[in-house]
Structure formats: C-alpha cells, structure tokens
C-alpha cells in the first residue's frame, strides 16, 4: 500500500511538473508582451544592448590602444581637446579618451555582472536555507543579515578593500560578498509562502532529499523575482565600482574604467570639462537604462505592483 501511495504521488508530482513547465512557457511569453508595452524599459534594453555590443567589440571599435600615449600630444601641453585625430580628446597622459571610454564599458559592465552573480548565488542559497528549514537556522541567518544591513554597505566595502590590494577581481568579489542581504531576505520571504503548498508537500511525501525539493520545486518559483533583483543589483554594483575607482580603491591605472576616468578628470574640470562629461554621462545612461529595464520587468512579472 505504501509503494502504491508513493507511485500515485509520484505521478501527480510529475504531472504537476509538466503542467508547471507549460505554464512557465506561457508565463514568460506573457511577461515579454507586458514588457514590450513599457516604452522606457524597451529604450533601456536597446541602450544596454548597444553598450554590451560595444564592450564586446571594443578591440574593433576603439581607434587607439587605451593605454598608448600620444607623444605628440605630450609635447603640446596635454590634455588635448577634441580633434580629427582624437575625437573626444586625450587625458593628461596623451591617451585617447574615446578608446578608454569604450574599453571602460568592458570593465564597468563586467564588475556589475560578476559581482551580482556572486551576491545572487549567496543570497539565494542562504535565503532558501533560512526559509525552508526555519527555526534556529533561520534566526541565525536573519540576525547576520540584520547586523550587516545596519552597516552602510559602501563603507563596509571600503573598510575591507583597504586591507586588500586594489584590483578589478577584488572589487568584483567584495561587492558580491557584501551585496547579498537584500536577495536573501526576498528569497526567504518567498519560500516561507511556497513551502506549505501542495506540490512541496507531495515532494516531501515521496521522500525526496531537501536539496532536490528546494532546487527543483521551490527556487524555480522565485526565479522571476530573482531576475528583477539581479537587474537592479547590476546598477548598484556599477555605481559602487565607480565610487571605489573614483576614490582610488577600485580598478587601478592603466586599466580604464568609468570611475577611474572620472578620478583622472577631476583636476581638469575647468580647463578640460569634456574629460568628466563623457564617463559621467556613460555611468548615468547605463544606470538609468538598467533601472528602466528593472521597472519594466517588475511591472511585467507582477502587474499589481504597477503604479
């Protein structure tokens, strides 16, 4: 009788998974239709697509090596203004500013994507453990989150980064390691409402291990919210990297990043304002585009949140 009951529950669970798969397909189709109606989100998606393509094709698009110095410019009191040779001028070391901005897109976008991947992974795992098991484990993880969220994240990152050698890899890891708290709280809240539903009870009744129940049956239902959280997190990570590089604790010379470009331009705000305008404009456009895409995804996934 026990084997028959398990077989019956297994069939129900399999049918439920197949039905859920079909619903997921139609769900994402509906999300895309709603997303396309969000004009600002489509504009943001278009801008981000262009920026990603520019970053990928940087060796083909950049007119000069971003680290190369123009000796002729160096002998004529740099930074040089925009000209036919250097469309957006050069910095104080005679390096082409347009080329550095194009290569800077690679670093800034890479930092955003890698650090958010780290934070989403950590937040998802800890949030799933806290929400699924509850009890003492939940209390410990929640108290850790509360303590870390009491400290301003940027200053916490600054403190840790001060003890390490500044590099792009350290920046990625540090931003990711200290940016998971919001994701963990979101995942925990979602799992608390999902773990008592029938399909989870059926999976438990079949004797499936907890890892499979969480990874196969619970986390996929939180995936949509994770995408929105990750999208917003990329914008925050780019801003954090720009701030660290501006303070000299992020990406180091001679590697170009938009924050480091702003730092090198601060001494020439009056004599060469174009040096600060370009990286500042790129950071603003990128962050705004990501926020527009995040707003569009949020409204498309849950129309009830639309204002």
């Amino acid at each position: 009788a026990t084997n028959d009951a398990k077989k019956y529950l297994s069939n129900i669970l399999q049918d439920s998974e197949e039905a859920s798969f079909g619903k997921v397909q139609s769900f994402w189709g509906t999300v895309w239709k709603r997303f396309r109606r969000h004009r600002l989100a489509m504009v943001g998606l278009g801008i981000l697509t262009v920026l990603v393509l520019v970053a990928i094709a940087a060796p083909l698009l950049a007119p000069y090596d971003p680290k190369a110095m123009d000796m002729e410019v160096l002998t004529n009191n740099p930074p040089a203004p925009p000209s036919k040779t250097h469309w957006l001028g050069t910095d104080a070391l005679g390096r082409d500013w347009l080329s550095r901005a194009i290569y800077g897109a690679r670093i800034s976008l890479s930092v955003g994507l890698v650090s958010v991947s780290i934070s989403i992974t950590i937040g998802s795992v800890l949030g799933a453990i806290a929400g699924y098991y509850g009890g003492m484990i939940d209390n410990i993880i929640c108290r850790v989150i509360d303590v870390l969220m009491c400290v301003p994240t940027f200053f916490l990152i600054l403190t840790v980064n001060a003890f390490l050698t500044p590099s792009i890899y350290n920046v990625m890891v540090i931003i990711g390691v200290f940016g998971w708290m919001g994701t963990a709280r979101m995942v925990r809240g979602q799992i608390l409402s999902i773990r008592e539903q029938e399909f989870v009870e059926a999976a438990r009744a079949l004797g499936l291990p907890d890892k499979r129940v969480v990874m196969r049956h619970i986390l996929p239902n939180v995936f949509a919210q994770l995408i929105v959280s990750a999208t917003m997190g990329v914008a925050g990570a780019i801003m954090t990297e720009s701030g660290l590089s501006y303070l000299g604790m992020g990406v180091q010379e001679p590697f170009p990043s938009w924050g480091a470009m702003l730092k090198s331009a601060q001494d020439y705000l009056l004599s060469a304002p174009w040096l600060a305008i370009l990286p500042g404009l790129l950071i603003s456009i990128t962050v705004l585009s990501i926020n527009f895409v995040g707003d569009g995804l949020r409204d498309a996934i849950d129309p009830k949140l639309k204002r």
Side-chain angles (χ1 to χ4, degrees), residues 90-279:
T90 69
D91 62 3
L93 297 177
R95 298 174 297 189
D96 185 70
W97 208 234
L98 175 60
S99 300
R100 291 185 67 78
I102 291 174
Y103 274 89
R106 276 187 162 189
I107 292 179
S108 296
L109 292 175
S110 297
V111 169
L113 292 173
V114 173
S115 60
V116 165
S117 299
I118 295 172
S119 65
I120 288 293
T121 301
I122 297 174
S124 299
V125 171
L126 293 180
I129 293 173
Y132 184 77
Y133 289 105
M136 182 62 68
I137 296 176
D138 183 26
N139 287 331
I140 293 173
I141 293 177
C142 287
R143 298 299 77 77
V144 172
I145 293 174
D146 292 339
V147 170
L148 291 177
M149 293 191 76
C150 288
V151 182
T153 304
F154 186 76
F155 294 105
L156 185 61
I157 292 172
L158 273 179
T159 303
V160 175
N161 199 33
F163 294 96
L164 302 174
T165 302
S167 71
I168 181 174
Y169 304 107
N170 288 341
V171 169
M172 291 177 179
V173 173
I174 291 171
I175 295 176
V177 168
F178 292 102
W180 56 269
M181 290 80 75
T183 300
R185 295 186 71 173
M186 183 272 294
V187 171
R188 173 184 175 272
Q190 292 290 323
I191 288 180
L192 285 175
S193 63
I194 293 173
R195 68 179 184 180
E196 303 301 331
Q197 295 186 16
E198 288 81 358
F199 67 93
V200 178
E201 293 294 335
R204 288 173 177 165
L206 287 171
L208 297 180
D210 291 340
K211 180 180 178 181
R212 184 176 178 185
V213 173
V214 173
M215 299 298 296
R216 183 79 179 270
H217 303 291
I218 295 181
L219 278 183
N221 290 278
V222 190
F223 188 65
Q225 288 75 15
L226 278 177
I227 291 179
V228 177
S229 178
T231 304
M232 297 297 189
V234 171
I238 291 176
M239 291 292 292
T240 302
E241 181 276 326
S242 299
L244 289 172
S245 297
Y246 181 80
L247 295 173
M249 302 185 69
V251 178
Q252 299 297 298
E253 292 284 357
F255 300 102
S257 79
W258 294 337
M261 291 173 69
L262 278 176
K263 180 179 184 297
S264 62
Q266 65 181 347
D267 296 329
Y268 303 95
L269 289 177
L270 297 179
S271 59
W274 63 86
L275 295 180
I277 291 174
L278 178 61

Side-chain angles (χ1 to χ4, degrees), residues 1-2 8 34-35 85 105 165 176 186 189 222 254:
T2 303
Y8 176 72
R34 293 171 182 163
F35 182 83
T85 306
T165 302
M186 183 272 294
V222 190

